[in-house]
Amino acid sequence: MRRPIYESMHLLMQRAHDQLTPADWFQLTDLADAAASEALRLAEVTQSIGCLVSEDGQSSTRFGSFQNSEDVFGLLCALSHSLETIGAMAEVGSYAASQLI
């Protein structure tokens, strides 16, 4: 499976590795915390969407945005993209922390 964001971040880290100062590495460690915050935000969003879909499924009149496979496909692709980005952020942050040790 191709992961363009993750692979691009990895490529950038490989190319920049020898050019970064300790201050640069320290700044990049913030990405690990940012990834955790983003993962929690995404968890809240997906839980809210789940609640909306559940409520809509129990209603006799449906109003939700996820009534067909195209809508669900779009949502799941967006979630996949967000999770890949979070993974790349966490990886860079963790790698940066290891460079400071």
Side-chain angles (χ1 to χ4, degrees):
M1 172 200 271
R2 190 163 188 289
R3 301 175 307 200
I5 293 173
Y6 191 88
E7 291 169 2
S8 297
M9 293 294 284
H10 182 72
L11 174 65
L12 288 173
M13 293 303 297
Q14 284 180 331
R15 304 276 185 189
H17 183 272
D18 294 333
Q19 306 301 315
L20 297 175
T21 66
D24 296 333
W25 287 114
F26 184 74
Q27 183 175 352
L28 289 172
T29 63
D30 289 341
L31 285 173
D33 288 336
S37 295
E38 185 62 17
L40 290 172
R41 186 192 68 79
L42 189 57
E44 290 178 11
V45 168
T46 54
Q47 183 177 18
S48 296
I49 291 170
C51 290
L52 289 172
V53 169
S54 177
E55 285 294 318
D56 194 43
Q58 296 173 13
S59 173
S60 59
T61 307
R62 293 185 166 191
F63 298 104
S65 296
F66 306 108
Q67 299 296 319
N68 59 56
S69 62
E70 290 175 5
D71 293 337
V72 174
F73 174 77
L75 171 65
L76 293 177
C77 286
L79 289 173
S80 175
H81 177 78
S82 293
L83 292 168
E84 179 190 353
T85 302
I86 291 167
M89 292 168 61
E91 181 74 18
V92 170
S94 177
Y95 184 76
S98 73
Q99 294 304 304
L100 290 172
I101 295 175

